[in-house]
Amino acid sequence: MDLGISRTLPIVTLLILEANAACADGQVLGKWTDNSPQHAPIGALEVTTDKITLGKVTYDVTPAGAFGTGTLYAVKGLNQKADPYGCGLSHKLTYLILQPNTPDTSSLSTYLRVTFYSGPEAPKPETLGDDMWVCGAHPFARDRK
């Protein structure tokens, strides 16, 4: 392989991953309503570039990259002592995963699934279903733009 190509390939790959994460960010930024109020309401969701608010709990976050069709956010802190969505040994979330749910073309709403994760390392999309660090998930919705 040409030495110039082998040096630029990792850079191009990172740029593509960042572009995918930015596109996914654009899909989830803004306000969402709780889509499960009868079962276990947690309140509205608001997503900005550096904060995720779930009801009265606000997490300081940083985007950690694309995660399947969504975005993985690393949790840097929160606005209260106890983490109501944490689990595991620390009882604190380390990552939030925001993924658009499969759209219903007949619906006037867009759906989002937030997965709560407390593992020490970033989760992987291919093993999330069997991962012991998943604390739970919650659905949200908003009108299509």
Side-chain angles (χ1 to χ4, degrees):
M1 181 184 286
D2 182 16
L3 190 55
I5 292 175
S6 65
R7 288 183 181 166
T8 59
L9 190 55
I11 294 169
V12 170
T13 303
L14 284 174
L15 290 173
I16 290 170
L17 288 174
E18 287 177 16
N20 285 343
C23 178
D25 275 347
Q27 294 174 1
V28 300
L29 292 177
K31 295 182 179 183
W32 297 80
T33 57
D34 192 327
N35 201 33
S36 182
Q38 292 81 18
H39 296 95
I42 62 176
L45 166 71
E46 184 170 1
V47 181
T48 66
T49 56
D50 62 347
K51 294 189 185 315
I52 294 177
T53 300
L54 293 151
K56 295 179 181 180
V57 180
T58 299
Y59 294 93
D60 292 321
V61 297
T62 184
F67 193 89
T69 59
T71 304
L72 177 67
Y73 290 89
V75 174
K76 299 186 300 183
L78 76 150
N79 68 342
Q80 57 189 45
K81 288 184 180 182
D83 189 340
Y85 307 113
C87 65
L89 298 174
S90 71
H91 295 283
K92 293 195 180 278
L93 293 182
T94 52
Y95 293 92
L96 290 163
I97 305 159
L98 280 61
Q99 295 177 295
N101 275 349
T102 305
D104 178 358
T105 55
S106 65
S107 175
L108 298 176
S109 295
T110 302
Y111 301 98
L112 181 71
R113 177 185 172 97
V114 176
T115 302
F116 309 105
Y117 190 83
S118 68
E121 303 293 327
K124 294 178 176 62
E126 59 273 8
T127 59
L128 189 66
D130 297 325
D131 198 314
M132 69 180 202
W133 297 107
V134 173
C135 301
H138 199 83
F140 293 90
R142 70 178 172 194
D143 293 339
R144 288 185 192 260
K145 293 181 179 180

